Amino acid sequence: MPHGDRGRRVHLDTAGLGRMPAAARAQLTEWTRHEDRHGPNEVDEHVHHVVRPELDARLAALLGAPAGDTVLATGAADAFAALVPRLALGPGDRIWTTPYEGVANLTVLTALRDRARCRLEVVPLRPDGDLDLEWMAAHIDDDVALVSVAHVPAGCGIVTPVEDIGRILAPHRCLYAVDASYAVGQLPVDAGRIGCQLLTGDGWRFLRGPESVGFAYLAPELRQALAPCGTALPALPEGASVVALNAALAVPQDAGPAGGLAAVVRTAVQETPGAELIAPGRVQCGIVTFRHAEMPAGSLRRALAARGVVVGKTVAQQTPLYSPGRKATAAVRVSVHHDNSAWDAARFTEALREALAGRGRGRHAVPTAVRAAPPAPAAAGGGAVAAPAAGLRAVCAGSAAGAGAVPAAGVPRPRRTAGRRHLALVSAPAPDGTA
């Protein structure tokens, strides 16, 4: 590569925070200054009369949804947390989630389970890491009231077949929620084709808007189910952020080489001695996650940053029900966008080689096998579905038990434990108050 390009910074962390287009950054700056000088009223009026009609139309086109069926939120997780607990579920209902569910949504679902006294069940994985759609088709019934699925999870690049799931669920009464936070902007997302009633997304990842602004699509069936409690969200994004997201969506997306660049990055990782690629499933996207046997993810991320390559880090607690290897809780996450180039992928490959060559041998050994155990197949007879068993405990970070397995019964309650800075999973209390 040309010597003069070595000083250029390479951004490969769009899944964490996308690079805002110049037009969006200018709008954010201008309207933030305007609010500082003139107060929020003029910004709110501009958003209401000028920006929101444009933004609603752009979101509708982006999501394949009717205009007017989207609401704004401070983020996808906030929208999910505000809307889902309002559903009127009861003891006879079941909720389905997956091992790839994010911790924020999982916390909401467990709280809903506890309040409604319903059952929360985990859809099993096939041996290759894909969701077991045959199991879903065999076990779906009208007592399944809600199904929550991540289109792309936070911790790896698997693409969930959300449209196939929608076809399985369509004949039944359940509501279908899809978290598209890591999908929208890098993959086609069409709520109509998916058949979901709730679709949530963040504006600051692959859509490259500002932080703290997201959105949700609400189908008429969901609005009807929420009618007694309403669909208004308690927290709305600031006016300047809304203007900037509208400007970001107005920038034409180049449907260019993102998939090909991700393949280049994936190959570079696979060819790196000591590297473990975390890539369950048969279909991958522009997110590549890996860890190294001798260099912790945080150290490797900093070493790459020192060489001008910005990548992200993901931790097992982001998806507590899926954590391959389980002894190592962190991994490096590389995410490419359509505005990345072949040069960026080549620079990552070179920087990775340089970072590992410069590591102090033996100083940062990671006590984990290089190859993670594959996801455990579903138990015979659909053993992944059951009421929460007494004494059930999910494997916590650092535990040696259950490596490579997915919890096979009801989902335990997430809570923060004293003296720890990560989420641990323990069982919900029994009706008599015992653990």
Side-chain angles (χ1 to χ4, degrees), residues 98 100 131 133 149-153 158-163 165 176 283:
T98 81
Y100 299 116
L131 290 179
L133 301 191
V149 170
H151 194 169
V152 174
I158 186 174
V159 179
T160 303
V162 289
E163 295 183 12
I165 294 173
Y176 180 23
V283 180

Side-chain angles (χ1 to χ4, degrees), residues 114-135:
D114 294 346
R115 175 184 62 78
R117 297 296 177 184
C118 59
R119 297 171 65 190
L120 177 55
E121 302 165 350
V122 180
V123 176
L125 301 180
R126 291 160 35 104
D128 61 8
D130 281 334
L131 290 179
D132 193 337
L133 301 191
E134 293 182 359
W135 183 94

